[in-house]
Amino acid sequence: MRQGFRQCMSWLHIWSGLLVGWILFAVFLTGTASYFRNEISAWMRPELQAAAPGAEPVRLAIETLQRTAPNSPSWIISPPDERGGELRVFWREPGARRFATAVLDPATGEPVRTRESLGGNFFYRFHFELHMAPLWGRWIVGFCAMMMLVAIISGIVTHRRIFADFFTFRPGKGAGRSWLDAHNALGVLALPYHLMITYTGLITLMVMYMPWGIQAAYQGDRQAFVNDVFGTAALVKRANQPAPLTPIAPLLDEATRRWGGPPGRIDVQQPGDASAVIRMTRRDAESISANPQTLTFDGLRGTLLSASGEAAAAAATRGVAYGLHLGRFASPLLRGLFFLSGLAGTAMVATGLVLWAAKHRHRHARNGRAGFGLRLVEALNLATIAGLPTAMFGFLWANRLLPLHLADRAEWEVRCFFLIWALAGLQAVLWPGLRSWAAQFGAAALLGLLLPVLNLLTTDRHLGASLPAGDWAMAGTDLVAAGLGLLLGYLAWRLVHRAPARQALRGARLARAEGA
Amino acid sequence: MALLGFGLAYAGFLGLSLAMDRHHAELLGGRPATARRRLLRGLGWGLLGLSLLPCLALWGTGIGLVSWLGLLTAAGLGLILLIPYAPRLALWLGPLLPLAGLLAWPILVA
Amino acid sequence: MSLAARIPAGWRRLRAWHWPGVLSRTIAAVLGGYALAALVATAFAAWLPASRAEAVLTGMMLSFLIYAGAVIWVFAARSAGRAWAGLLPPVLVLAALLWLTGGLA
């Protein structure tokens, strides 16, 4: 029972990583895709032309809301920005708890009739809710993130030669050597990112995970806490005196003058009433911190009521953490680097899972039959690591191939995603082994590589049109999908052509090494 | 300037890796003498430190630091992939990337 | 010695670590660790001499590090008994102090 600290940590690293590894892989991969949530959403609604930012879309949105939701106590307008986002509005029917939402045409203000699709929001929500009931999904993801934090810390302790093994990658070496090298390199080189993204991920949902301080200091009044943190005033009470809303354009100008850019969000409280208030929130792309800076205007006279100032230390820290996690930076290079680091994290989880299976497969090869645990891990590895990318590309394909006016079309896209994933799982259970790995990586590679072709056949915003037009949401999604397809194709090709010989060699070499 | 930061980070990692027996043998052949090892290691850390400067100049403190860490990751991963597959290229990129960064600097800034 | 060389040993150790011990540690880590983290968060909220929101936020953000630290401690301890012995006193002391000072409103 007496072992060294490092060995205990090694045990903890292996088991904490293995137990939640499959969910972590899914969380990492969908989260990485979510760095391009806007771009994926735009790709999935090809009818919607990229909107130009400016005051006009906001004015049109307000006109539409005045017509369609005059009695709503609250409107939220999310205008398009330079990244080609959509003009989206939210409103709440009196008495309703949830917000209704619609995407508007920025040129006319009318609700757009595009194909129904969840767009990039599907990956985004899956990333922290796993497409489950929010309460369940968020707690499960939170638990896994906590395990991830433990796995990272214990992994650092375990990996004694953390700097000596820094650059070592020996492809084609025996029995998990290469997997271990890759796992180490991916883990160590992107270590700041891994620590940051795990910890800040917990922080984004901490009010849910750790409400006890609010319980003690605010008697559980979360809204009061949120108002204190963000320096916002409580909701205004309706005066029940009809009054016209002030024109929005001068307020937008004021916000643009103060911030050097238009606001990222406009809230109108009690529109059409004498108590109306308009609040503008600064776009979070201009600095790391996503601590919202707001300007609050009188809704009738248009005078500035208050401007939220500098956040205090802890609130500022939270803002930085939140901003880092979401990575909505203006700089495309930095977003690219985050995407790369996210892929590194995904690959780190995958290599860790494969490493476990490779080690145990090797031991069982000597002892005889593979046990149930190993077969379970191998099936889950295949279904997750190869199955999820296939299903994610399949989701994009479903968006183009499903009939445009299918009832519940958005829901059907999601069903296609899960159907493909389930098929991958079935194959993993029925036909475990390298062939199935190659088949699934191959399928994912084809789906990715041919995505630009599919886009060419089904829309007029293919690469030939989108590249000259500088339509980066469209072209970027096509190109990144094709690039990832190429990478997956390389993996499949390696599995088909090199694996058998390598495996024999690997076994012999390891036997020698262990005999020595 | 981003390319300069990336190039310096790459060269820094290359220096650090060359200060290790295994990678010195792979890339240059033989074991490095103690003095040479010290020099390479010092050069490596120095270049890594230098690579922070263009990031800070380009993006300011907050975004600059975050971008720097991202560039370090990208440069390190690139080097790790190049060492086994294309060792000569890995070596040549050491001086070439920072040079390209320096040359591209006035073009990109202008 | 690298991680790879130790994995078989890790497997053997799991057999040696009888499952009641592992189960006990797991409970200590998951539930005990959360209890400690929640109490620390509450203690910060109640006692940190800063504005209410700042105190609550500080405690919340630190609690996850406390949780991670507690899990590491539980699995690094020599035995499950020692793990509990290290974890329970701070939990009980914090809970008692908070209760006495009315922090557990």
Side-chain angles (χ1 to χ4, degrees):
Chain A
M1 223 23 229
R2 291 195 54 182
Q3 299 113 19
F5 176 58
R6 208 179 287 271
Q7 284 169 318
C8 289
M9 289 300 102
S10 162
W11 184 90
L12 183 59
H13 178 71
I14 291 166
W15 290 100
S16 59
L18 180 75
L19 280 179
V20 298
W22 301 287
I23 294 182
L24 281 180
F25 180 88
V27 168
F28 254 104
L29 191 60
T30 50
T32 304
S34 299
Y35 286 132
F36 296 111
R37 171 160 67 128
N38 287 355
E39 284 78 2
I40 294 174
S41 288
W43 190 92
M44 293 180 84
R45 293 193 193 90
E47 297 86 355
L48 207 60
Q49 293 298 327
E56 189 58 13
V58 180
R59 197 185 61 76
L60 288 168
I62 286 179
E63 268 181 13
T64 303
L65 284 168
Q66 278 169 334
R67 211 172 52 244
T68 57
N71 297 320
S72 166
S74 178
W75 298 337
I76 300 171
I77 300 155
S78 160
D81 58 18
E82 293 85 30
R83 280 178 69 191
E86 56 205 11
L87 172 62
R88 187 178 271 279
V89 293
F90 302 84
W91 69 92
R92 209 169 55 184
E93 292 305 330
R97 277 192 65 223
R98 295 192 136 232
F99 276 88
T101 178
V103 179
L104 305 183
D105 186 333
T108 62
E110 293 303 311
V112 285
R113 306 231 158 266
T114 63
R115 60 189 74 199
E116 265 185 66
S117 170
L118 292 181
N121 263 346
F122 173 65
F123 295 144
Y124 173 70
R125 294 202 81 89
F126 190 94
H127 164 67
F128 59 91
E129 286 175 354
L130 304 172
H131 203 67
M132 301 166 85
L135 191 69
W136 280 96
R138 289 175 186 204
W139 271 103
I140 291 174
V141 171
F143 178 77
C144 294
M146 205 54 230
M147 293 282 268
M148 174 83 184
L149 194 58
V150 168
I152 292 176
I153 297 172
S154 54
I156 297 171
V157 176
T158 303
H159 192 25
R160 183 191 340 215
R161 288 155 53 83
I162 196 158
F163 287 108
D165 285 344
F166 214 63
F167 304 103
T168 309
F169 178 49
R170 290 157 287 181
K173 288 269 178 159
R177 246 301 150 206
S178 317
W179 292 122
L180 179 66
D181 286 343
H183 186 64
N184 285 344
L186 291 163
V188 173
L189 272 173
L191 186 61
Y193 175 84
H194 299 324
L195 272 173
M196 178 280 287
I197 210 72
T198 310
Y199 183 53
T200 56
L202 286 164
I203 286 182
T204 56
L205 291 177
M206 66 182 172
V207 173
M208 177 178 182
Y209 299 144
M210 274 296 162
W212 310 110
I214 304 177
Q215 207 67 36
Y218 286 86
Q219 282 72 48
D221 185 351
R222 284 188 195 187
Q223 195 55 50
F225 168 70
V226 169
N227 288 343
D228 269 6
V229 171
F230 297 137
T232 46
L235 268 174
V236 286
K237 274 226 159 59
R238 204 172 176 87
N240 282 323
Q241 293 168 4
L245 204 61
T246 182
I248 195 78
L251 310 191
L252 288 170
D253 287 346
E254 173 68 13
T256 307
R257 192 182 61 74
R258 282 172 176 254
W259 292 329
R265 174 179 141 149
I266 297 115
D267 288 50
V268 184
Q269 284 175 20
Q270 311 299 1
D273 187 74
S275 62
V277 162
I278 299 175
R279 179 176 300 140
M280 311 224 169
T281 309
R282 187 173 180 170
R283 278 243 321 277
D284 48 13
E286 280 141 23
S287 65
I288 291 181
S289 173
N291 223 8
Q293 291 186 36
T294 58
L295 293 175
T296 308
F297 296 94
D298 184 308
L300 302 186
R301 286 171 288 276
T303 47
L304 183 65
L305 295 177
S306 69
S308 73
E310 290 292 300
T317 310
R318 190 217 69 97
V320 169
Y322 194 77
L324 277 173
H325 192 86
L326 267 74
R328 289 184 192 147
F329 309 113
S331 149
L333 175 74
L334 187 51
R335 273 188 288 133
L337 288 173
F338 265 53
F339 182 71
L340 185 78
S341 301
L343 285 182
T346 313
M348 172 185 70
V349 175
T351 49
L353 288 169
V354 171
L355 175 61
W356 193 95
K359 284 282 158 198
H360 288 260
R361 164 65 56 185
H362 178 71
R363 188 157 37 255
H364 282 291
R366 285 184 302 182
N367 300 351
R369 228 174 105 65
F372 172 74
L374 175 59
R375 278 181 290 147
L376 179 70
V377 168
E378 287 187 329
L380 283 169
N381 279 358
L382 171 54
T384 314
I385 297 170
L388 180 59
T390 318
M392 285 171 76
F393 280 132
F395 180 68
L396 298 182
W397 276 69
N399 175 264
R400 289 293 193 268
L401 292 182
L402 287 174
L404 280 183
H405 300 293
L406 186 69
D408 294 334
R409 192 174 186 284
E411 191 49 42
W412 272 106
E413 287 179 5
V414 175
R415 282 179 198 146
C416 285
F417 169 85
F418 281 109
L419 186 71
I420 295 170
W421 204 1
L423 285 177
L426 198 66
Q427 187 187 22
V429 172
L430 294 181
W431 299 284
L434 286 181
R435 256 170 213 264
S436 295
W437 278 91
Q440 290 192 20
F441 275 139
L446 280 182
L447 290 178
L449 272 172
L450 294 180
L451 199 69
V453 180
L454 177 73
N455 197 22
L456 169 72
L457 294 176
T458 52
T459 73
D460 51 5
R461 291 173 73 191
H462 47 83
L463 280 174
S466 57
L467 275 179
D471 181 1
W472 287 113
M474 228 39 188
T477 307
D478 273 358
L479 289 174
V480 170
L484 291 175
L486 214 57
L487 190 72
L488 289 162
Y490 173 73
L491 284 175
W493 180 78
R494 281 288 301 260
L495 283 167
V496 169
H497 288 279
R498 313 279 288 272
R502 288 259 173 239
Q503 276 225 319
L505 193 68
R506 196 175 280 175
R509 194 180 286 155
L510 199 90
R512 259 207 318 277
E514 299 217 337
Chain B
M1 273 218 277
L3 183 61
L4 181 62
F6 179 81
L8 288 172
Y10 179 89
F13 276 131
L14 184 66
L16 287 184
S17 71
L18 284 177
M20 297 172 191
D21 284 348
R22 181 193 290 142
H23 304 299
H24 194 277
E26 274 173 315
L27 295 173
L28 292 172
R31 286 169 58 115
T34 313
R36 188 189 177 109
R37 190 197 308 272
R38 281 218 189 101
L39 178 73
L40 283 167
R41 190 169 296 152
L43 203 66
W45 283 115
L47 287 170
L48 283 187
L50 267 185
S51 67
L52 175 60
L53 296 182
C55 296
L56 291 182
L58 196 54
W59 293 296
T61 319
I63 301 255
L65 267 177
V66 179
S67 302
W68 180 59
L69 289 172
L71 281 178
L72 286 186
T73 301
L77 285 177
L79 177 64
I80 287 177
L81 277 178
L82 282 177
I83 288 179
Y85 290 112
R88 291 176 69 90
L89 181 66
L91 209 53
W92 275 108
L93 281 181
L96 283 183
L97 275 177
L99 209 64
L102 270 182
L103 290 178
W105 182 358
I107 304 169
L108 290 183
V109 167
Chain C
M1 193 168 63
S2 69
L3 177 64
R6 271 201 306 273
I7 290 175
W11 186 246
R12 274 200 297 280
R13 263 202 315 283
L14 178 71
R15 298 245 172 90
W17 275 29
H18 300 295
W19 68 265
V22 173
L23 184 67
S24 169
R25 281 180 203 249
T26 307
I27 293 172
V30 175
L31 297 183
Y34 185 81
L36 182 63
L39 283 166
V40 170
T42 314
F44 268 93
W47 297 333
L48 193 73
S51 79
R52 237 178 3 159
E54 287 285 291
V56 171
L57 269 178
T58 310
M60 266 184 182
M61 290 192 284
L62 284 179
S63 67
F64 299 107
L65 300 180
I66 301 287
Y67 199 170
V71 175
I72 299 279
W73 157 256
V74 163
F75 281 94
R78 272 196 207 155
S79 67
R82 272 173 187 258
W84 279 104
L87 194 64
L88 276 182
V91 167
L92 294 178
V93 167
L94 267 179
L97 281 176
L98 278 167
W99 186 65
L100 286 176
T101 56
L104 290 181

